[in-house]
Amino acid sequence: MAPVPPGVRLLVSFDRDQWYRALTFILTFLLYTSFHLSRKPISIVKSELHKNCSAVSEAAIIASSSSQQPSLLSLHTDVDCGWKPFDKSNYKQLLGAMDYSFLCAYAIGMYLSGIIGERLPIRLYLTVGMLASGVFTCLFGLGYIYNIHNLSFYIFVQVANGLVQTAGWPSVVTCIGNWFGKGRRGLIMGLWNSHTSVGNILGSLIAGYWVSSNWGMSFIVPGLIIIIMGVVCFLFLIEPVRWSGYGYRSLLCSLPQSYDTELLLPRESERIPMQPVVVVKSESEPSAISFMGALRIPGVVEFSLCLLFAKLVSYTFLFWLPLYITKAAHLDAKKAGDLSTLFDVGGIVGGVLAGVISDKLGKRATTCAVMLLLAAPTLYGFSMISEFGLGPMIGMLLVCGGLVNGPYALITTAVSADLGTHKSLKGNARALSTVTAIIDGTGSVGAALGPLLAGLLSAGGWDQVFYMLMTADFLALLVRPLTCII
């Protein structure tokens, strides 16, 4: 048999590279969708944890003015007013503390996660993180099954879950970031980053289905899903191989020898045993970048600070929007959760649009600046229009979702990938995970502060929450001009 021509060998290699690129895109999309799917239930269940408080309090006032025996109603209030310990008037502060415990642990863990991720096999690191996250998500739901009313239990579960979930983002960004060139990276990663909104939508629908009958299942089902996806990750995720000076090589290099790779080798009339491929490198493989070395990459500090304020806004909506809708539109928990998914639909469109525009202009920071500038007045409009019924609220949810999540999506994906492969690194491909962790870790500080502040400020009225969100948008805009050239 005649040898395979070099052109055919190149074509086979190209086709297989394309296939694995598509596989990596789809698989990492599904993996991180499950992460966000497991984060969403808490925002849906909040309105169930205190569902009777307002109604019972109003009934108590009426009864106290018309009855001489309010003590019986007071006893009923203590027993039936929501789920202890969230059945008191300070429930917003307690719920805010739960959000803060998860997000604070996530922010702290993220700084360490990127450094660890550069030094361990990504597939195993991501798998362990997903399995552990699924266990802790299920554990929160078991609090309902076993009638647990201890606040410390829920805080512990949130802290532990926040820490293990940090394995997700640096890992998936590292897997996909080096597969696509910078020219179309905004579009590709804008589409890919829609997994956050897809996960939020699915999480809302799943949690909403169970919330009124058994809110424990609102956590257990997403927890089981992320466990299953962790197994899928272990079985199917093939890591790209680091190759000094050229970034990440084809997944072909990491396939077991039993795979069909004979077409890449010369074949004569007799069968030739397959041999391992040996890559000769002109220089030693570079070591993983240090934390301080990553901070010195131009733009990392500025974009990290910008994401801090942008993510503050996004995560406040993520954790508090369903509760706000129940109050503003007078809807039950399930309907409010379903309506809140429109914000995520707008986020999908905004993320893709931001990626396309930034690709065309070649200016990631300018694109973010325009969207942040438009977001602040839009938030004010949303707070006003919400009082005029569901129609205007639906429209504003879509617009706000696009303008709020557009910059957030662009910074956490395309910008992180650009900086992680910055020319100052001179081809060292082992910086992407650390850079991603620094940027997203700093952003997670804002994500922790936003829901906490919302819980504190909402006690004085929702207007104060929206003023806080508008201020955060303007602050994100202030740090943006430092990096407009990127």
Side-chain angles (χ1 to χ4, degrees):
M1 183 181 296
V4 178
V8 175
R9 295 202 301 269
L10 178 62
L11 180 61
V12 172
S13 176
F14 175 78
D15 288 343
R16 186 163 291 184
D17 276 359
Q18 290 292 93
W19 191 87
Y20 277 113
R21 183 179 287 113
L23 174 64
T24 302
F25 183 97
I26 295 171
L27 185 55
T28 54
F29 181 96
L30 294 176
L31 294 179
Y32 210 74
T33 294
S34 66
F35 273 104
H36 262 263
L37 183 149
S38 67
R39 295 178 194 175
K40 186 64 177 180
I42 185 65
S43 66
I44 305 299
V45 172
K46 280 178 179 178
S47 55
E48 185 71 14
L49 295 177
H50 66 279
K51 63 177 182 177
N52 296 323
C53 294
S54 299
V56 173
S57 297
E58 292 174 2
I61 295 175
I62 296 175
S64 62
S65 61
S66 59
S67 173
Q68 300 299 321
Q69 297 180 345
S71 57
L72 293 177
L73 187 57
S74 299
L75 179 61
H76 184 271
T77 301
D78 291 337
V79 173
D80 293 333
C81 187
W83 183 267
K84 293 179 182 293
F86 309 104
D87 58 341
K88 308 301 181 183
S89 59
N90 65 337
Y91 71 92
K92 290 183 180 179
Q93 288 81 358
L94 296 181
L95 293 174
M98 278 208 308
D99 294 340
Y100 181 76
S101 62
F102 172 88
L103 294 168
C104 186
Y106 185 85
I108 295 173
M110 184 61 71
Y111 288 111
L112 300 175
S113 179
I115 298 174
I116 296 173
E118 293 285 8
R119 292 159 174 82
L120 294 177
I122 293 176
R123 179 173 64 94
L124 297 179
Y125 184 52
L126 183 55
T127 298
V128 171
M130 296 186 74
L131 294 178
S133 179
V135 169
F136 286 118
T137 302
C138 290
L139 195 59
F140 196 105
L142 290 176
Y144 175 87
I145 304 297
Y146 290 100
N147 203 31
I148 298 175
H149 297 277
N150 191 327
L151 180 64
S152 300
F153 169 80
Y154 297 103
I155 294 293
F156 166 76
V157 172
Q158 288 288 83
V159 170
N161 203 4
L163 288 174
V164 298
Q165 285 220 358
T166 60
W169 189 243
S171 299
V172 295
V173 172
T174 299
C175 283
I176 197 172
N178 287 281
W179 280 104
F180 300 96
K182 186 174 181 179
R184 299 182 61 193
R185 186 174 279 162
L187 170 61
I188 297 297
M189 301 199 81
L191 291 169
W192 178 75
N193 192 65
S194 63
H195 53 51
T196 59
S197 296
V198 173
N200 291 340
I201 292 171
L202 293 176
S204 297
L205 296 177
I206 293 173
Y209 180 83
W210 297 100
V211 64
S212 298
S213 58
N214 182 348
W215 64 257
M217 295 300 294
S218 297
F219 292 91
I220 293 174
V221 173
L224 293 176
I225 290 175
I226 195 172
I227 288 175
I228 293 171
M229 292 307 300
V231 175
V232 171
C233 173
F234 179 78
L235 295 177
F236 295 102
L237 183 65
I238 306 175
E239 301 178 46
V241 177
R242 293 183 176 97
W243 194 5
S244 176
Y246 296 95
Y248 281 71
R249 274 297 289 165
S250 167
L251 289 171
L252 282 168
C253 299
S254 62
L255 286 176
Q257 294 181 28
S258 60
Y259 279 67
D260 182 20
T261 56
E262 299 98 291
L263 288 177
L264 301 180
L265 301 173
R267 300 176 66 179
E268 304 296 342
S269 58
E270 61 178 348
R271 185 174 182 84
I272 301 175
M274 292 173 53
Q275 298 294 332
V277 177
V278 178
V279 179
V280 179
K281 298 180 288 185
S282 59
E283 57 185 79
S284 60
E285 184 176 341
S287 60
I289 193 171
S290 67
F291 184 86
M292 295 305 299
L295 287 178
R296 286 193 291 268
I297 298 174
V300 168
V301 173
E302 293 89 341
F303 273 113
S304 297
L305 292 175
C306 181
L307 185 63
L308 185 151
F309 297 111
K311 203 168 181 178
L312 182 153
V313 178
S314 180
Y315 267 64
T316 300
F317 273 94
L318 173 66
F319 283 91
W320 285 93
L321 181 59
L323 181 60
Y324 171 75
I325 292 176
T326 60
K327 304 301 181 183
H330 307 290
L331 299 176
D332 60 31
K334 183 180 186 304
K335 292 180 179 178
D338 292 344
L339 189 60
S340 69
T341 60
L342 293 175
F343 180 84
D344 297 300
V345 172
I348 295 175
V349 177
V352 175
L353 187 62
V356 172
I357 294 174
S358 68
D359 282 345
K360 294 293 184 182
L361 297 178
K363 300 289 186 181
R364 312 282 193 210
T366 302
T367 304
C368 290
V370 173
M371 299 188 82
L372 289 169
L373 185 63
L374 295 174
T378 304
L379 291 173
Y380 180 77
F382 176 69
S383 66
M384 297 292 102
I385 291 179
S386 299
E387 302 175 0
F388 294 96
L390 287 179
M393 178 181 285
I394 289 173
M396 291 303 294
L397 278 172
L398 292 169
V399 176
C400 285
L403 294 177
V404 168
N405 285 333
Y408 162 46
L410 189 61
I411 295 172
T412 55
T413 55
V415 169
S416 295
D418 289 349
L419 296 176
T421 55
H422 194 271
K423 60 183 180 181
S424 65
L425 296 172
K426 299 179 181 179
N428 184 354
R430 303 192 65 184
L432 183 52
S433 181
T434 301
V435 169
T436 300
I438 290 174
I439 293 176
D440 198 51
T442 305
S444 297
V445 174
L449 291 175
L452 176 66
L453 292 175
L456 297 174
L457 295 175
S458 60
W462 288 102
D463 287 346
Q464 296 185 27
V465 176
F466 281 98
Y467 291 143
M468 180 265 291
L469 298 179
M470 287 185 284
T471 302
D473 261 331
F474 280 122
L475 290 174
L477 187 61
L478 287 179
V479 299
R480 179 58 49 192
L482 297 175
T483 54
C484 274
I485 59 173
I486 297 176

Coordinates of all heavy atoms in Angstrom, one line a residue, residues 252-303:
L252 N -5.0 15.4 19.9 CA -4.5 14.2 19.3 C -3.3 13.7 20.1 O -3.1 12.5 20.2 CB -4.0 14.4 17.9 CG -5.1 14.4 16.8 CD1 -4.6 15.0 15.5 CD2 -5.7 13.1 16.6
C253 N -2.5 14.6 20.6 CA -1.3 14.2 21.3 C -1.6 13.5 22.6 O -0.7 12.8 23.1 CB -0.4 15.5 21.6 SG 0.1 16.3 20.1
S254 N -2.8 13.7 23.2 CA -3.1 13.1 24.5 C -3.9 11.8 24.4 O -4.3 11.3 25.4 CB -3.8 14.1 25.4 OG -5.0 14.5 24.8
L255 N -4.3 11.4 23.1 CA -5.1 10.2 23.0 C -4.3 9.0 23.3 O -3.2 8.9 23.0 CB -5.7 10.2 21.5 CG -6.8 11.1 21.2 CD1 -7.1 11.0 19.7 CD2 -8.0 10.9 22.0
P256 N -5.0 8.0 23.9 CA -4.4 6.7 24.0 C -4.0 6.1 22.7 O -4.6 6.4 21.7 CB -5.4 5.8 24.8 CG -6.4 6.8 25.3 CD -6.3 8.0 24.5
Q257 N -3.0 5.2 22.7 CA -2.5 4.6 21.4 C -3.6 3.7 20.7 O -3.5 3.4 19.6 CB -1.3 3.8 21.7 CG -0.1 4.6 22.1 CD 1.1 3.8 22.3 OE1 1.3 2.8 21.6 NE2 2.0 4.2 23.2
S258 N -4.6 3.3 21.5 CA -5.6 2.4 20.9 C -6.5 3.2 19.9 O -7.3 2.6 19.2 CB -6.4 1.8 22.0 OG -7.1 2.8 22.8
Y259 N -6.5 4.5 19.9 CA -7.3 5.3 19.1 C -6.8 5.2 17.6 O -5.7 4.9 17.4 CB -7.4 6.8 19.5 CG -8.3 7.0 20.6 CD1 -8.1 6.5 21.9 CD2 -9.5 7.8 20.5 CE1 -9.0 6.7 22.9 CE2 -10.4 8.0 21.5 CZ -10.1 7.5 22.7 OH -11.0 7.7 23.8
D260 N -7.7 5.5 16.7 CA -7.4 5.4 15.3 C -6.5 6.5 14.8 O -7.0 7.5 14.3 CB -8.7 5.3 14.5 CG -8.5 5.1 13.0 OD1 -7.4 4.6 12.7 OD2 -9.4 5.4 12.2
T261 N -5.2 6.4 15.0 CA -4.3 7.4 14.6 C -3.3 6.9 13.5 O -2.4 7.6 13.2 CB -3.5 7.9 15.8 OG1 -2.8 6.8 16.4 CG2 -4.3 8.6 16.8
E262 N -3.6 5.7 13.0 CA -2.7 5.1 12.0 C -2.6 6.0 10.7 O -1.6 6.0 10.1 CB -3.1 3.7 11.6 CG -3.1 2.7 12.8 CD -4.5 2.6 13.3 OE1 -5.0 3.5 13.9 OE2 -5.1 1.5 13.2
L263 N -3.7 6.7 10.4 CA -3.7 7.5 9.2 C -2.7 8.6 9.2 O -2.3 9.2 8.2 CB -5.1 8.1 9.0 CG -6.2 7.0 8.5 CD1 -7.5 7.8 8.4 CD2 -5.8 6.4 7.2
L264 N -2.2 8.9 10.4 CA -1.2 9.9 10.5 C 0.2 9.4 10.3 O 1.2 10.1 10.3 CB -1.3 10.6 11.9 CG -2.6 11.2 12.2 CD1 -2.6 11.9 13.6 CD2 -3.0 12.3 11.2
L265 N 0.4 8.0 10.2 CA 1.7 7.4 10.1 C 1.8 6.8 8.7 O 0.8 6.4 8.1 CB 1.8 6.3 11.1 CG 1.7 6.8 12.6 CD1 1.7 5.6 13.5 CD2 2.8 7.7 13.0
P266 N 3.0 6.7 8.1 CA 3.3 6.0 6.8 C 2.9 4.6 6.9 O 3.1 3.9 8.0 CB 4.8 6.2 6.6 CG 5.2 7.2 7.6 CD 4.3 7.2 8.7
R267 N 2.3 4.1 5.8 CA 1.9 2.7 5.8 C 2.4 2.0 4.6 O 2.2 2.4 3.5 CB 0.4 2.5 5.9 CG -0.3 3.2 7.1 CD -1.8 3.1 7.1 NE -2.2 1.8 7.2 CZ -3.6 1.5 7.2 NH1 -4.4 2.4 7.2 NH2 -3.9 0.2 7.3
E268 N 3.1 0.9 4.8 CA 3.7 0.2 3.6 C 2.8 -1.1 3.5 O 1.7 -1.3 4.1 CB 5.1 -0.2 3.9 CG 6.0 1.0 4.2 CD 6.1 2.0 3.0 OE1 5.8 1.5 1.9 OE2 6.4 3.1 3.2
S269 N 3.3 -2.1 2.7 CA 2.6 -3.3 2.4 C 2.5 -4.2 3.6 O 1.6 -5.0 3.7 CB 3.3 -4.1 1.3 OG 4.6 -4.4 1.7
E270 N 3.4 -4.0 4.6 CA 3.3 -4.7 5.8 C 2.8 -3.8 7.0 O 3.0 -2.6 6.9 CB 4.6 -5.3 6.1 CG 5.7 -4.3 6.4 CD 7.0 -5.0 6.7 OE1 7.0 -6.2 7.0 OE2 8.1 -4.4 6.7
R271 N 2.2 -4.4 8.0 CA 1.7 -3.6 9.1 C 2.9 -3.2 10.0 O 3.7 -3.9 10.3 CB 0.7 -4.5 9.9 CG 0.1 -3.7 11.0 CD -1.0 -4.6 11.7 NE -1.6 -3.8 12.8 CZ -2.7 -3.0 12.6 NH1 -3.1 -2.8 11.3 NH2 -3.2 -2.4 13.6
I272 N 2.8 -1.9 10.3 CA 3.9 -1.3 11.1 C 3.3 -1.0 12.5 O 2.3 -0.4 12.6 CB 4.4 0.0 10.5 CG1 4.9 -0.2 9.2 CG2 5.4 0.6 11.4 CD1 5.4 1.0 8.4
P273 N 3.9 -1.6 13.6 CA 3.4 -1.3 14.9 C 3.4 0.2 15.2 O 4.3 0.9 14.9 CB 4.3 -2.1 15.8 CG 5.0 -3.1 14.9 CD 5.1 -2.5 13.6
M274 N 2.3 0.6 15.9 CA 2.3 2.0 16.3 C 3.3 2.3 17.4 O 3.5 1.5 18.3 CB 0.9 2.4 16.7 CG -0.2 2.4 15.6 SD -1.8 2.6 16.3 CE -1.6 4.1 17.2
Q275 N 3.8 3.5 17.4 CA 4.8 3.9 18.4 C 4.3 5.2 19.0 O 3.6 6.0 18.3 CB 6.2 4.1 17.7 CG 6.8 2.9 17.1 CD 7.1 1.8 18.2 OE1 7.3 2.2 19.3 NE2 7.0 0.5 17.8
P276 N 4.7 5.5 20.2 CA 4.3 6.8 20.8 C 4.9 7.9 20.1 O 6.0 7.8 19.5 CB 4.9 6.7 22.3 CG 5.1 5.2 22.5 CD 5.4 4.6 21.2
V277 N 4.2 9.0 20.0 CA 4.7 10.2 19.4 C 5.6 11.0 20.3 O 5.2 11.3 21.5 CB 3.5 11.1 18.9 CG1 4.1 12.4 18.3 CG2 2.7 10.4 17.9
V278 N 6.8 11.3 19.9 CA 7.7 12.0 20.8 C 7.9 13.4 20.2 O 8.2 13.6 19.1 CB 9.1 11.3 20.9 CG1 10.1 12.2 21.7 CG2 9.0 9.9 21.4
V279 N 7.6 14.4 21.0 CA 7.7 15.8 20.6 C 9.0 16.4 21.1 O 9.3 16.4 22.3 CB 6.5 16.7 21.2 CG1 6.7 18.1 20.8 CG2 5.2 16.1 20.7
V280 N 9.9 16.8 20.2 CA 11.2 17.4 20.6 C 11.0 18.9 20.7 O 10.6 19.5 19.8 CB 12.2 17.0 19.5 CG1 13.6 17.6 19.9 CG2 12.4 15.5 19.3
K281 N 11.3 19.4 21.9 CA 11.2 20.8 22.2 C 12.5 21.5 22.2 O 13.5 20.9 22.8 CB 10.4 21.0 23.5 CG 9.0 20.4 23.5 CD 8.3 20.6 24.8 CE 8.9 19.7 25.9 NZ 8.2 19.8 27.2
S282 N 12.5 22.7 21.7 CA 13.8 23.4 21.6 C 14.1 24.1 23.0 O 15.2 24.5 23.2 CB 13.7 24.5 20.5 OG 12.7 25.4 20.8
E283 N 13.1 24.1 23.8 CA 13.4 24.7 25.1 C 12.5 24.0 26.1 O 11.6 23.3 25.8 CB 13.0 26.2 25.1 CG 11.6 26.5 24.7 CD 11.3 27.9 24.5 OE1 11.7 28.5 23.5 OE2 10.7 28.5 25.5
S284 N 12.9 24.1 27.4 CA 12.2 23.4 28.4 C 10.8 24.0 28.6 O 10.6 25.2 28.3 CB 12.9 23.5 29.7 OG 13.1 24.9 30.1
E285 N 9.8 23.2 29.1 CA 8.5 23.7 29.3 C 8.5 24.7 30.4 O 9.0 24.5 31.5 CB 7.6 22.5 29.7 CG 6.1 22.9 29.8 CD 5.3 21.7 30.2 OE1 5.7 20.6 29.9 OE2 4.2 21.9 30.7
P286 N 7.8 25.9 30.1 CA 7.8 27.0 31.1 C 7.0 26.6 32.4 O 6.1 25.8 32.3 CB 7.2 28.1 30.4 CG 6.3 27.5 29.3 CD 7.0 26.2 28.9
S287 N 7.4 27.1 33.5 CA 6.7 26.9 34.7 C 5.5 27.7 34.8 O 5.3 28.7 34.1 CB 7.7 27.2 35.9 OG 8.0 28.6 35.9
A288 N 4.6 27.3 35.7 CA 3.3 28.0 35.8 C 3.6 29.4 36.4 O 4.5 29.6 37.2 CB 2.4 27.3 36.8
I289 N 2.9 30.4 36.0 CA 3.1 31.8 36.4 C 2.8 32.0 37.8 O 1.8 31.3 38.3 CB 2.3 32.7 35.4 CG1 2.8 34.2 35.6 CG2 0.9 32.7 35.7 CD1 2.3 35.1 34.6
S290 N 3.5 32.9 38.5 CA 3.2 33.2 39.9 C 2.0 34.2 40.0 O 1.6 34.8 39.0 CB 4.4 33.8 40.6 OG 4.7 35.0 40.1
F291 N 1.5 34.3 41.2 CA 0.4 35.2 41.4 C 0.8 36.7 41.1 O 0.1 37.4 40.4 CB -0.1 35.1 42.9 CG -1.3 36.0 43.2 CD1 -2.6 35.5 43.0 CD2 -1.1 37.3 43.7 CE1 -3.7 36.3 43.3 CE2 -2.2 38.1 44.0 CZ -3.5 37.6 43.8
M292 N 1.9 37.1 41.6 CA 2.4 38.4 41.3 C 2.8 38.6 39.9 O 2.6 39.7 39.3 CB 3.6 38.7 42.2 CG 3.3 38.8 43.7 SD 2.0 39.9 44.1 CE 2.7 41.5 43.6
G293 N 3.3 37.6 39.2 CA 3.6 37.7 37.8 C 2.4 37.9 37.0 O 2.4 38.7 36.0
A294 N 1.3 37.2 37.4 CA 0.0 37.5 36.7 C -0.5 38.9 36.9 O -1.1 39.5 35.9 CB -1.0 36.4 37.1
L295 N -0.3 39.4 38.1 CA -0.8 40.8 38.3 C 0.0 41.8 37.5 O -0.6 42.9 37.2 CB -0.6 41.1 39.8 CG -1.6 40.5 40.8 CD1 -1.3 40.9 42.2 CD2 -3.1 40.9 40.4
R296 N 1.2 41.5 37.1 CA 2.0 42.4 36.3 C 1.6 42.5 34.8 O 2.1 43.3 34.1 CB 3.5 42.1 36.5 CG 4.0 42.5 37.8 CD 5.6 42.5 37.9 NE 6.1 41.1 37.8 CZ 6.3 40.4 38.8 NH1 6.1 40.9 40.1 NH2 6.8 39.1 38.7
I297 N 0.8 41.5 34.4 CA 0.3 41.5 33.0 C -0.5 42.8 32.8 O -1.5 43.1 33.5 CB -0.5 40.3 32.7 CG1 0.4 39.0 32.9 CG2 -1.0 40.4 31.3 CD1 -0.4 37.7 32.7
P298 N -0.2 43.6 31.8 CA -1.0 44.8 31.6 C -2.5 44.6 31.4 O -2.9 43.8 30.6 CB -0.4 45.4 30.2 CG 1.0 44.8 30.2 CD 0.9 43.4 30.8
G299 N -3.3 45.3 32.2 CA -4.7 45.2 32.1 C -5.4 44.3 33.1 O -6.6 44.4 33.4
V300 N -4.6 43.4 33.8 CA -5.2 42.4 34.7 C -5.8 43.2 35.9 O -7.0 42.9 36.3 CB -4.2 41.4 35.2 CG1 -4.7 40.6 36.4 CG2 -3.8 40.5 34.0
V301 N -5.1 44.1 36.5 CA -5.6 44.8 37.7 C -6.8 45.6 37.4 O -7.9 45.6 38.1 CB -4.5 45.7 38.3 CG1 -5.1 46.5 39.5 CG2 -3.4 44.8 38.9
E302 N -6.8 46.4 36.2 CA -7.9 47.2 35.9 C -9.1 46.5 35.5 O -10.2 46.8 36.0 CB -7.5 48.1 34.7 CG -6.3 49.1 35.0 CD -5.0 48.5 34.8 OE1 -4.8 47.3 34.7 OE2 -4.0 49.3 34.6
F303 N -9.0 45.4 34.8 CA -10.2 44.6 34.4 C -10.7 43.9 35.6 O -11.9 43.7 35.8 CB -9.9 43.6 33.3 CG -10.0 44.2 31.9 CD1 -8.9 44.4 31.1 CD2 -11.3 44.5 31.5 CE1 -9.1 44.9 29.8 CE2 -11.4 45.1 30.2 CZ -10.3 45.3 29.4

